[in-house]
Amino acid sequence: MPTVLILGATSDIAQAIARELAASQYDLILAARNMNYIKRIQKDIQIRYGVRVKPMYFDATSYEQHADFIRQIEVIPELVIVCFGYLGEQKTAQANWEEAYQILATNYIGAVSILNPIAQEMEQRKRGIIVGISSVAGERGRKSNYLYGSAKAGFTAYLSGLRNRLYASGVHVLTVKPGYVNTKMTENKDLPKILTTTPEKVARNICRAIRRKKNALYVKRIWWLVMLIIKCIPESIFKKLNL
Ligand SMILES: NC(=O)c1ccc[n+]([C@@H]2O[C@H](COP(=O)([O-])OP(=O)(O)OC[C@H]3O[C@@H](n4cnc5c(N)ncnc54)[C@H](OP(=O)(O)O)[C@@H]3O)[C@@H](O)[C@H]2O)c1
């Protein structure tokens, strides 16, 4: 049976992906910081889908533990999905380095730290798929969330470079830019319905994009248009907008 490694597996989007893949008879390695939560998810998925689920401790910002984490897995699965992320508080992060660092460390450095050795192994065995959940926030810096946005911009550029490097060895990289999704991350935000989707829809679209070997995915097509418009606005006008 194929196996998937999901990093940040307590995320709402990750849980929906895990269920979607378990329904297709994937065995799962679910890696997250909250072991109690991940064990509850493990039980639920095992009972419902009858697949093997292995829970593992993983903290994206404990870089020094990443080599050990890779050793414990032994064989990197064919499919690896990076789901962890930290939105943080932009205003707090502007004044407080710890919050700014947490945003950069989780969304960018943590992802690079764990994907570097994974990419290395996949390149050597000439097989594998890496999926990274980035964000439309990375496409243009806005005053309301440019710290999260700049970390995701770095992650998007990293995934693009990785796809370019690994193409020759037959390893595929998919970048996902979900737009707004109703999850724990956005539960206190008033999101416009037309631009917002569900974790289940994100999961279905990611699984389809994996099968079709797509390079990049906007979950709601409308986001492609929204971002095209946003990227076309001249900087002289953009800097005056309240975005
Ligand atoms: N929701 C949206 O509108 C939206 C839009 C665009 C992109 N995204 C991206 O989609 C991905 C999934 O987010 P979500 O919407 O499903 O939100 P979520 O349910 O809040 O999930 C975020 C996950 O990241 C994990 N995490 C945070 N810091 C971590 C660390 N240092 N080590 C390991 N795990 C860590 C959290 O784990 P704990 O449970 O331990 O805190 C949590 O499970 C994220 O990359 C996010 O940036 C979301």
Side-chain angles (χ1 to χ4, degrees):
M1 263 205 260
T3 305
V4 57
L5 164 63
I6 302 183
L7 297 151
T10 50
S11 119
D12 289 341
I13 292 175
Q15 290 182 55
I17 296 172
R19 292 202 167 83
E20 189 73 24
L21 290 171
S24 302
Q25 293 303 297
Y26 267 81
D27 287 334
L28 311 175
I29 303 175
L30 300 181
R33 309 186 274 198
N34 185 333
M35 287 309 282
N36 287 335
Y37 192 8
I38 208 70
K39 281 179 184 164
R40 286 206 301 277
I41 298 170
Q42 173 198 19
K43 261 193 199 151
D44 178 64
I45 292 182
Q46 272 172 343
I47 292 167
R48 220 178 271 204
Y49 302 99
V51 295
R52 277 188 296 187
V53 185
K54 179 178 175 185
M56 286 186 75
Y57 179 82
F58 172 76
D59 183 339
T61 58
S62 296
Y63 320 123
E64 71 290 346
Q65 293 175 12
H66 288 178
D68 255 2
F69 175 82
I70 297 283
R71 268 193 291 277
Q72 278 170 42
I73 289 183
E74 290 169 10
V75 180
I76 302 288
E78 291 285 295
L79 176 59
V80 174
I81 308 183
V82 171
C83 289
F84 57 81
Y86 179 59
L87 183 59
E89 278 293 328
Q90 170 69 30
K91 287 238 165 83
T92 310
Q94 286 166 202
N96 175 330
W97 170 242
E98 275 176 22
E99 176 73 350
Y101 177 75
Q102 198 59 28
I103 294 171
L104 305 177
T106 310
N107 295 296
Y108 182 63
I109 309 172
V112 173
S113 169
I114 195 64
L115 282 181
N116 267 355
I118 288 172
Q120 202 70 8
E121 188 171 321
M122 285 186 174
E123 186 177 42
Q124 275 164 18
R125 71 175 186 222
K126 299 191 184 312
R127 253 191 357 261
I129 300 171
I130 293 171
V131 179
I133 305 196
S134 191
S135 174
V136 294
E139 299 205 1
R140 192 160 189 182
R142 292 178 290 121
K143 69 176 173 186
S144 58
N145 76 345
Y146 65 84
L147 279 157
Y148 172 78
S150 59
K152 288 294 195 186
F155 187 39
T156 299
Y158 174 83
L159 291 170
S160 166
L162 207 55
R163 176 161 46 247
N164 193 192
R165 166 188 155 199
L166 297 177
Y167 175 75
S169 46
V171 177
H172 185 63
V173 178
L174 165 66
T175 308
V176 184
K177 297 172 195 172
Y180 297 136
V181 191
N182 278 320
T183 65
K184 294 191 287 292
M185 187 175 274
T186 53
E187 64 193 352
N188 299 319
K189 309 229 176 277
D190 193 15
L191 304 176
K193 264 207 176 119
I194 189 163
L195 296 175
T196 307
T197 189
T198 61
E200 290 71 27
K201 180 99 196 301
V202 177
R204 276 196 302 277
N205 285 16
I206 288 177
C207 291
R208 193 182 315 127
I210 291 170
R211 286 193 300 274
R212 293 182 181 174
K213 287 216 161 171
K214 283 191 80 166
N215 299 313
L217 172 71
Y218 286 102
V219 174
K220 271 200 143 192
R221 286 228 185 110
I222 191 170
W223 274 105
W224 178 83
L225 184 62
V226 172
M227 292 322 294
L228 183 69
I229 295 166
I230 294 224
K231 283 187 283 187
C232 285
I233 300 171
E235 195 65 20
S236 54
I237 297 173
F238 197 76
K239 70 180 180 185
K240 296 173 191 156
L241 301 178
N242 198 18
L243 288 170

